[in-house]
Amino acid sequence: MATWTRTWPFHLMVWPALLFLIVFNYVPMAGIVMAFMDYKPWLGFTGSPWIGLDHFRALFERDDSIQVIWNTLVISVLKIVFNLIVPFTFAILLNEVRKRLLSRTIQTLVYLPHFLSWVILGGILVNFLSTDGGFANRVLGFFGLGPVFFLGDGNWFRVTVVVSEVWKEFGYGTIVFIAALANINPSLYEAAEVDGASRWKQTLHITIPSLLPMAIVVGTLSLGNILNAGFDQIFNLYNSLVYDKGDIIDTFVYRTAIIDGDFGFATAVGLFKSVISMLLIIVAYRLAYKLANYRVF
């Protein structure tokens, strides 16, 4: 009783967040039953007929759904790879900047895009990459190239999506590597310098090996999000011209449910993604523990 007397304010603080979680994350899970029904909104859950696993069979039989899964994997894997390589490399380069003010200024500038929503950045990119007077195509035209339909050609769309995602997030992703750099024992560098090792040799034999465990953790945990290719970004940038190369699971579910009204099939696709993602997260955490001794609890 004495413990409750001391901790009740903390329990009270948790309740709004817990209520929010229950209302928006757990209550909607009742709608999972639509994945096994030929759901019609005017018939409701009780009147719509049960069709078993028909939607899941269709998921692996329809050409468009198979293409969507493939698009998601391609875009997501590219994002994971470059969102690991670029922050890793940038953190090492930033570590070599000796002027603290310059280093802090660069860090602040590269962090800023992370805090902008894709609604804002999407509008900027549409204008920046436009074939009708967009800055990027003006520059290409100056060199006698282009115009390039960045957001209308499927292959260029994938490149645009990956590059813009990396540009937006690499500064924020650098934080974990900068923190890992701060934990490197300075005596290692001092000993290497005494032995005559150059800055390149110190980076190659001390900095990079010290960062590899963190890189393994970040890369391994990213596997759990391999089916999340970035709904906000894709939704604000894509169009019907790039569905064959740029449509991902989340945008496919949105269009199938909200636009086409096929709620049952859309729910089945979403459930399939959620189950696979959960399994991947479990595997990723197990791998992170085995490879880098990382654990949450």
Side-chain angles (χ1 to χ4, degrees):
M1 187 64 183
T3 303
W4 171 254
T5 304
R6 292 195 306 269
T7 60
W8 73 265
F10 301 107
H11 290 277
L12 190 63
M13 291 171 62
V14 169
W15 266 106
L18 184 61
L19 185 62
F20 184 90
L21 183 70
I22 292 172
V23 171
F24 290 99
N25 288 76
Y26 285 95
V27 172
M29 289 180 69
I32 288 175
V33 296
M34 288 190 292
F36 308 96
M37 306 169 66
D38 183 16
Y39 181 77
K40 306 296 182 186
W42 55 87
L43 297 177
F45 292 115
T46 56
S48 299
W50 288 86
I51 59 173
L53 300 176
D54 287 359
H55 287 314
F56 294 94
R57 295 191 189 96
L59 172 62
F60 295 102
E61 292 173 355
R62 288 174 50 168
D63 292 337
D64 55 349
S65 58
I66 296 297
Q67 183 63 44
V68 161
I69 294 172
W70 174 248
N71 293 342
T72 304
L73 291 174
V74 170
I75 294 174
S76 184
V77 168
L78 288 173
K79 285 184 176 182
I80 289 172
V81 170
F82 286 102
N83 273 326
L84 179 62
I85 293 175
V86 175
F88 184 90
T89 306
F90 183 76
I92 294 174
L93 294 175
L94 193 63
N95 189 53
E96 297 301 314
V97 178
R98 294 306 172 200
K99 294 184 179 180
R100 184 58 61 88
L101 178 60
L102 178 60
S103 175
R104 297 300 184 190
T105 303
I106 294 173
Q107 281 183 259
T108 302
L109 291 175
V110 298
Y111 290 166
L112 289 178
H114 169 79
F115 299 100
L116 297 176
S117 74
W118 275 113
V119 175
I120 297 172
L121 287 179
I124 293 173
L125 285 174
V126 167
N127 290 317
F128 184 81
L129 301 175
S130 172
T131 55
D132 185 19
F135 180 78
N137 276 300
R138 284 187 179 184
V139 172
L140 291 175
F142 179 78
F143 291 101
L145 303 173
V148 176
F149 205 176
F150 291 100
L151 300 178
D153 180 275
N155 293 320
W156 275 110
F157 181 80
R158 284 182 178 177
V159 173
T160 303
V161 164
V162 174
V163 170
S164 59
E165 167 77 12
V166 172
W167 169 78
K168 182 178 185 293
E169 299 295 341
F170 86 93
Y172 194 77
T174 305
I175 293 175
V176 294
F177 294 112
I178 292 177
L181 284 169
N183 288 327
I184 300 176
N185 191 343
S187 62
L188 295 175
Y189 292 105
E190 295 170 2
E193 193 171 352
V194 170
D195 289 339
S198 63
R199 292 299 303 176
W200 167 247
K201 291 290 186 181
Q202 292 176 37
T203 300
L204 188 62
H205 297 289
I206 298 175
T207 306
I208 293 178
S210 298
L211 288 180
L212 282 179
M214 180 56 69
I216 292 172
V217 170
V218 173
T220 304
L221 296 183
S222 297
L223 295 176
N225 291 316
I226 201 167
L227 293 182
N228 294 319
F231 172 80
D232 291 346
Q233 180 192 23
I234 303 293
F235 183 74
N236 283 285
L237 293 178
Y238 84 147
N239 54 75
S240 58
L241 296 175
V242 295
Y243 282 171
D244 60 329
K245 295 290 183 71
D247 200 16
I248 60 173
I249 292 176
D250 290 330
T251 54
F252 180 67
V253 169
Y254 168 81
R255 285 204 330 276
T256 304
I258 306 302
I259 298 178
D260 298 339
D262 193 350
F263 297 100
F265 181 70
T267 304
V269 176
L271 181 59
F272 164 78
K273 177 200 166 186
S274 298
V275 171
I276 299 300
S277 296
M278 183 186 70
L279 295 175
L280 287 173
I281 289 172
I282 294 172
V283 171
Y285 273 92
R286 293 298 299 172
L287 286 175
Y289 176 68
K290 291 290 185 182
L291 298 175
N293 199 31
Y294 172 86
R295 60 191 307 167
V296 180
F297 303 106

PDB file of all heavy atoms in Angstrom, residues 14-29:
ATOM      1  N   VAL A  14       0.739   7.293 -17.049  1.00  0.00           N
ATOM      2  CA  VAL A  14       0.791   6.262 -18.079  1.00  0.00           C
ATOM      3  C   VAL A  14      -0.572   6.050 -18.731  1.00  0.00           C
ATOM      4  O   VAL A  14      -0.656   5.690 -19.916  1.00  0.00           O
ATOM      5  CB  VAL A  14       1.317   4.937 -17.474  1.00  0.00           C
ATOM      6  CG1 VAL A  14       1.121   3.778 -18.447  1.00  0.00           C
ATOM      7  CG2 VAL A  14       2.788   5.075 -17.116  1.00  0.00           C
ATOM      8  N   TRP A  15      -1.644   6.297 -17.987  1.00  0.00           N
ATOM      9  CA  TRP A  15      -2.980   5.954 -18.466  1.00  0.00           C
ATOM     10  C   TRP A  15      -3.377   6.619 -19.787  1.00  0.00           C
ATOM     11  O   TRP A  15      -3.947   5.942 -20.658  1.00  0.00           O
ATOM     12  CB  TRP A  15      -4.031   6.256 -17.389  1.00  0.00           C
ATOM     13  CG  TRP A  15      -4.317   5.056 -16.559  1.00  0.00           C
ATOM     14  CD1 TRP A  15      -3.920   4.817 -15.278  1.00  0.00           C
ATOM     15  CD2 TRP A  15      -5.042   3.879 -16.967  1.00  0.00           C
ATOM     16  NE1 TRP A  15      -4.338   3.579 -14.857  1.00  0.00           N
ATOM     17  CE2 TRP A  15      -5.039   2.977 -15.861  1.00  0.00           C
ATOM     18  CE3 TRP A  15      -5.680   3.501 -18.131  1.00  0.00           C
ATOM     19  CZ2 TRP A  15      -5.653   1.739 -15.918  1.00  0.00           C
ATOM     20  CZ3 TRP A  15      -6.297   2.263 -18.194  1.00  0.00           C
ATOM     21  CH2 TRP A  15      -6.274   1.399 -17.084  1.00  0.00           C
ATOM     22  N   PRO A  16      -3.118   7.906 -20.007  1.00  0.00           N
ATOM     23  CA  PRO A  16      -3.490   8.487 -21.310  1.00  0.00           C
ATOM     24  C   PRO A  16      -2.804   7.785 -22.483  1.00  0.00           C
ATOM     25  O   PRO A  16      -3.450   7.496 -23.503  1.00  0.00           O
ATOM     26  CB  PRO A  16      -3.018   9.947 -21.186  1.00  0.00           C
ATOM     27  CG  PRO A  16      -3.036  10.212 -19.718  1.00  0.00           C
ATOM     28  CD  PRO A  16      -2.622   8.927 -19.072  1.00  0.00           C
ATOM     29  N   ALA A  17      -1.510   7.490 -22.344  1.00  0.00           N
ATOM     30  CA  ALA A  17      -0.794   6.792 -23.416  1.00  0.00           C
ATOM     31  C   ALA A  17      -1.330   5.378 -23.593  1.00  0.00           C
ATOM     32  O   ALA A  17      -1.478   4.894 -24.729  1.00  0.00           O
ATOM     33  CB  ALA A  17       0.704   6.757 -23.105  1.00  0.00           C
ATOM     34  N   LEU A  18      -1.633   4.705 -22.489  1.00  0.00           N
ATOM     35  CA  LEU A  18      -2.167   3.346 -22.558  1.00  0.00           C
ATOM     36  C   LEU A  18      -3.543   3.339 -23.215  1.00  0.00           C
ATOM     37  O   LEU A  18      -3.849   2.472 -24.050  1.00  0.00           O
ATOM     38  CB  LEU A  18      -2.251   2.754 -21.149  1.00  0.00           C
ATOM     39  CG  LEU A  18      -2.702   1.299 -21.036  1.00  0.00           C
ATOM     40  CD1 LEU A  18      -1.735   0.384 -21.780  1.00  0.00           C
ATOM     41  CD2 LEU A  18      -2.816   0.877 -19.569  1.00  0.00           C
ATOM     42  N   LEU A  19      -4.368   4.309 -22.870  1.00  0.00           N
ATOM     43  CA  LEU A  19      -5.701   4.414 -23.471  1.00  0.00           C
ATOM     44  C   LEU A  19      -5.590   4.688 -24.970  1.00  0.00           C
ATOM     45  O   LEU A  19      -6.321   4.100 -25.777  1.00  0.00           O
ATOM     46  CB  LEU A  19      -6.485   5.540 -22.783  1.00  0.00           C
ATOM     47  CG  LEU A  19      -7.951   5.708 -23.197  1.00  0.00           C
ATOM     48  CD1 LEU A  19      -8.751   4.456 -22.850  1.00  0.00           C
ATOM     49  CD2 LEU A  19      -8.554   6.928 -22.515  1.00  0.00           C
ATOM     50  N   PHE A  20      -4.688   5.564 -25.347  1.00  0.00           N
ATOM     51  CA  PHE A  20      -4.449   5.857 -26.762  1.00  0.00           C
ATOM     52  C   PHE A  20      -4.033   4.591 -27.502  1.00  0.00           C
ATOM     53  O   PHE A  20      -4.502   4.318 -28.615  1.00  0.00           O
ATOM     54  CB  PHE A  20      -3.352   6.925 -26.877  1.00  0.00           C
ATOM     55  CG  PHE A  20      -3.078   7.383 -28.279  1.00  0.00           C
ATOM     56  CD1 PHE A  20      -3.776   8.450 -28.824  1.00  0.00           C
ATOM     57  CD2 PHE A  20      -2.118   6.750 -29.051  1.00  0.00           C
ATOM     58  CE1 PHE A  20      -3.522   8.876 -30.120  1.00  0.00           C
ATOM     59  CE2 PHE A  20      -1.861   7.165 -30.348  1.00  0.00           C
ATOM     60  CZ  PHE A  20      -2.562   8.237 -30.885  1.00  0.00           C
ATOM     61  N   LEU A  21      -3.130   3.807 -26.899  1.00  0.00           N
ATOM     62  CA  LEU A  21      -2.657   2.564 -27.506  1.00  0.00           C
ATOM     63  C   LEU A  21      -3.796   1.569 -27.693  1.00  0.00           C
ATOM     64  O   LEU A  21      -3.916   0.938 -28.750  1.00  0.00           O
ATOM     65  CB  LEU A  21      -1.564   1.953 -26.623  1.00  0.00           C
ATOM     66  CG  LEU A  21      -0.899   0.676 -27.147  1.00  0.00           C
ATOM     67  CD1 LEU A  21      -0.026   0.995 -28.353  1.00  0.00           C
ATOM     68  CD2 LEU A  21      -0.059   0.020 -26.056  1.00  0.00           C
ATOM     69  N   ILE A  22      -4.639   1.437 -26.677  1.00  0.00           N
ATOM     70  CA  ILE A  22      -5.743   0.481 -26.746  1.00  0.00           C
ATOM     71  C   ILE A  22      -6.743   0.885 -27.831  1.00  0.00           C
ATOM     72  O   ILE A  22      -7.173   0.062 -28.650  1.00  0.00           O
ATOM     73  CB  ILE A  22      -6.452   0.378 -25.376  1.00  0.00           C
ATOM     74  CG1 ILE A  22      -5.521  -0.277 -24.349  1.00  0.00           C
ATOM     75  CG2 ILE A  22      -7.747  -0.413 -25.501  1.00  0.00           C
ATOM     76  CD1 ILE A  22      -6.040  -0.249 -22.933  1.00  0.00           C
ATOM     77  N   VAL A  23      -7.108   2.174 -27.875  1.00  0.00           N
ATOM     78  CA  VAL A  23      -8.134   2.645 -28.803  1.00  0.00           C
ATOM     79  C   VAL A  23      -7.668   2.560 -30.252  1.00  0.00           C
ATOM     80  O   VAL A  23      -8.421   2.137 -31.139  1.00  0.00           O
ATOM     81  CB  VAL A  23      -8.541   4.094 -28.455  1.00  0.00           C
ATOM     82  CG1 VAL A  23      -9.439   4.677 -29.558  1.00  0.00           C
ATOM     83  CG2 VAL A  23      -9.257   4.137 -27.121  1.00  0.00           C
ATOM     84  N   PHE A  24      -6.407   2.924 -30.509  1.00  0.00           N
ATOM     85  CA  PHE A  24      -5.951   3.023 -31.894  1.00  0.00           C
ATOM     86  C   PHE A  24      -5.131   1.820 -32.366  1.00  0.00           C
ATOM     87  O   PHE A  24      -4.912   1.682 -33.576  1.00  0.00           O
ATOM     88  CB  PHE A  24      -5.112   4.295 -32.077  1.00  0.00           C
ATOM     89  CG  PHE A  24      -5.921   5.554 -32.000  1.00  0.00           C
ATOM     90  CD1 PHE A  24      -5.969   6.296 -30.832  1.00  0.00           C
ATOM     91  CD2 PHE A  24      -6.660   5.988 -33.085  1.00  0.00           C
ATOM     92  CE1 PHE A  24      -6.717   7.454 -30.755  1.00  0.00           C
ATOM     93  CE2 PHE A  24      -7.425   7.144 -33.021  1.00  0.00           C
ATOM     94  CZ  PHE A  24      -7.454   7.882 -31.849  1.00  0.00           C
ATOM     95  N   ASN A  25      -4.705   0.953 -31.456  1.00  0.00           N
ATOM     96  CA  ASN A  25      -3.894  -0.189 -31.874  1.00  0.00           C
ATOM     97  C   ASN A  25      -4.553  -1.541 -31.620  1.00  0.00           C
ATOM     98  O   ASN A  25      -4.336  -2.479 -32.397  1.00  0.00           O
ATOM     99  CB  ASN A  25      -2.528  -0.163 -31.171  1.00  0.00           C
ATOM    100  CG  ASN A  25      -1.631   0.945 -31.700  1.00  0.00           C
ATOM    101  OD1 ASN A  25      -1.820   2.102 -31.370  1.00  0.00           O
ATOM    102  ND2 ASN A  25      -0.657   0.604 -32.519  1.00  0.00           N
ATOM    103  N   TYR A  26      -5.320  -1.651 -30.556  1.00  0.00           N
ATOM    104  CA  TYR A  26      -5.892  -2.946 -30.212  1.00  0.00           C
ATOM    105  C   TYR A  26      -7.356  -3.077 -30.606  1.00  0.00           C
ATOM    106  O   TYR A  26      -7.767  -4.131 -31.109  1.00  0.00           O
ATOM    107  CB  TYR A  26      -5.716  -3.216 -28.706  1.00  0.00           C
ATOM    108  CG  TYR A  26      -4.301  -3.590 -28.366  1.00  0.00           C
ATOM    109  CD1 TYR A  26      -3.390  -2.625 -27.934  1.00  0.00           C
ATOM    110  CD2 TYR A  26      -3.851  -4.902 -28.499  1.00  0.00           C
ATOM    111  CE1 TYR A  26      -2.080  -2.963 -27.642  1.00  0.00           C
ATOM    112  CE2 TYR A  26      -2.542  -5.255 -28.197  1.00  0.00           C
ATOM    113  CZ  TYR A  26      -1.663  -4.282 -27.781  1.00  0.00           C
ATOM    114  OH  TYR A  26      -0.366  -4.622 -27.500  1.00  0.00           O
ATOM    115  N   VAL A  27      -8.158  -2.055 -30.389  1.00  0.00           N
ATOM    116  CA  VAL A  27      -9.568  -2.121 -30.762  1.00  0.00           C
ATOM    117  C   VAL A  27      -9.738  -2.364 -32.270  1.00  0.00           C
ATOM    118  O   VAL A  27     -10.549  -3.214 -32.679  1.00  0.00           O
ATOM    119  CB  VAL A  27     -10.304  -0.838 -30.333  1.00  0.00           C
ATOM    120  CG1 VAL A  27     -11.729  -0.820 -30.899  1.00  0.00           C
ATOM    121  CG2 VAL A  27     -10.340  -0.734 -28.806  1.00  0.00           C
ATOM    122  N   PRO A  28      -8.962  -1.678 -33.151  1.00  0.00           N
ATOM    123  CA  PRO A  28      -9.123  -1.936 -34.596  1.00  0.00           C
ATOM    124  C   PRO A  28      -8.752  -3.348 -35.020  1.00  0.00           C
ATOM    125  O   PRO A  28      -9.120  -3.767 -36.127  1.00  0.00           O
ATOM    126  CB  PRO A  28      -8.155  -0.917 -35.234  1.00  0.00           C
ATOM    127  CG  PRO A  28      -7.995   0.165 -34.218  1.00  0.00           C
ATOM    128  CD  PRO A  28      -8.047  -0.544 -32.903  1.00  0.00           C
ATOM    129  N   MET A  29      -8.047  -4.111 -34.149  1.00  0.00           N
ATOM    130  CA  MET A  29      -7.674  -5.472 -34.517  1.00  0.00           C
ATOM    131  C   MET A  29      -8.880  -6.379 -34.687  1.00  0.00           C
ATOM    132  O   MET A  29      -8.782  -7.441 -35.317  1.00  0.00           O
ATOM    133  CB  MET A  29      -6.718  -6.058 -33.477  1.00  0.00           C
ATOM    134  CG  MET A  29      -5.327  -5.431 -33.512  1.00  0.00           C
ATOM    135  SD  MET A  29      -4.198  -6.126 -32.294  1.00  0.00           S
ATOM    136  CE  MET A  29      -3.961  -7.765 -32.966  1.00  0.00           C
TER     137      MET A  29
END
